[in-house]
Amino acid sequence: MRLSVEDCLTAIETHTRGLGAAAAGKLDARIEHCPDWSMADLVWHLTEVHRFWEYVARTLPSGEPGERPPSERPADDELVAGMLVGAATLVDTLRAADQDAPCWTWGLEENVRFITRHQVQEAAVHHWDAANAVGQAGQWRMEPVAAMDAVEEFLTHSVGNSRWPVPNAEPMGGTLWMRSRIADSGACPTWVITDGADAGTLRMSVYDGDMPDVEGPVGGAPVDPASALLWLYRRVPRIVDDWTFEGAGPDLVERFRAFTFTG
């Protein structure tokens, strides 16, 4: 499920503003899943992420950019405003860009479209980090369609694949599957993850509706796609409260984790 460019840009803007709102006046808060970071560090990190990918989308380098002059970190009371300006610049650059223009990225797709798509989850997950740091994780929301797209993007680019196989990885040796649903939309994809054809890689298949019989550690009711994304990023320990492991059990999940690059 692919988002439109405008939907991606809207999500980047929404989650960056949400992070800014959570951070306002609370820059000393500690970030649970980035334990060496304060809220101020988180804001600065996203600012630098936006700066880097805006540069790539604007200049379209064919290889990984080398060392660039470091930007000067502003005073804490200017951090949030600077992040919002940087996000707006990134969004403007991505909106004006040819999404199919080739450029270096770390993903399987080397084009501007990959940047536009991936920056949604970059902003969304760090928005959750900020909300969690100030006791507002329960108020964090992500549009279900955007979350579904982010899950599929993660399972394509952020696991061992043909470009970046995981060296010496133990095969997963089983099937992990998650079924999701967007209420009232009819969308009900199931993501099925198995070992890939080559060592150190995984393969994702997506089924909408009927799917083959599989045994794996996730079953029962469909899961919320935003919760699935947070689980993939190790922000939450389980997807639903009554989540139980079946078939190969939790060891399969730990083997799956060994193939992931993010989270």
Side-chain angles (χ1 to χ4, degrees), residues 153-228:
E153 201 268 5
F154 184 104
L155 293 173
T156 301
H157 298 281
S158 294
V159 301
N161 55 53
S162 58
R163 183 178 181 185
W164 303 110
V166 177
N168 304 315
E170 178 186 359
M172 196 168 70
T175 301
L176 185 152
W177 62 275
M178 296 180 289
R179 177 180 289 122
S180 190
R181 174 175 292 142
I182 298 178
D184 303 323
S185 74
C188 187
T190 299
W191 302 295
V192 179
I193 305 99
T194 58
D195 286 302
D198 299 320
T201 68
L202 296 181
R203 177 178 181 269
M204 176 192 67
S205 301
V206 184
Y207 298 89
D208 190 2
D210 294 336
M211 57 175 284
D213 291 334
V214 295
E215 292 185 2
V218 182
V223 299
D224 168 54
S227 297

Side-chain angles (χ1 to χ4, degrees), residues 20 42 48 55 62 66-67 80 98 104 115-116 121 142 151-152 160 176-177 191 203 207 212-214 235:
L42 177 68
E48 288 290 86
Y55 171 81
S62 58
E67 285 291 324
V80 170
D98 174 2
W104 174 87
I115 300 172
T116 303
Q121 60 196 273
M142 187 175 186
V151 168
E152 290 185 18
L176 185 152
W177 62 275
W191 302 295
R203 177 178 181 269
Y207 298 89
D213 291 334
V214 295
R235 265 45 179 191

Side-chain angles (χ1 to χ4, degrees), residues 109-127:
E109 298 175 32
E110 292 194 89
N111 53 36
V112 173
R113 192 177 305 280
F114 171 84
I115 300 172
T116 303
R117 190 183 187 200
H118 187 74
Q119 287 310 299
V120 171
Q121 60 196 273
E122 184 81 36
V125 174
H126 284 320
H127 175 196

Side-chain angles (χ1 to χ4, degrees), residues 30-124:
R30 307 311 299 178
I31 306 302
E32 178 183 0
H33 298 280
C34 307
D36 294 332
W37 287 4
S38 66
M39 183 77 81
D41 296 327
L42 177 68
V43 172
W44 180 239
H45 166 74
L46 192 59
T47 303
E48 288 290 86
V49 167
H50 288 167
R51 175 176 177 260
F52 175 81
W53 288 108
E54 190 279 332
Y55 171 81
V56 173
R58 176 167 44 84
T59 63
L60 304 177
S62 58
E64 183 174 1
E67 285 291 324
R68 301 177 58 229
S71 52
E72 183 176 351
R73 178 167 168 163
D76 281 2
D77 61 0
E78 299 174 357
L79 277 170
V80 170
M83 178 187 67
L84 296 176
V85 169
T89 302
L90 171 67
V91 165
D92 287 346
T93 297
L94 293 174
R95 180 174 284 118
D98 174 2
Q99 295 293 309
D100 295 318
C103 63
W104 174 87
T105 74
W106 53 262
L108 288 172
E109 298 175 32
E110 292 194 89
N111 53 36
V112 173
R113 192 177 305 280
F114 171 84
I115 300 172
T116 303
R117 190 183 187 200
H118 187 74
Q119 287 310 299
V120 171
Q121 60 196 273
E122 184 81 36

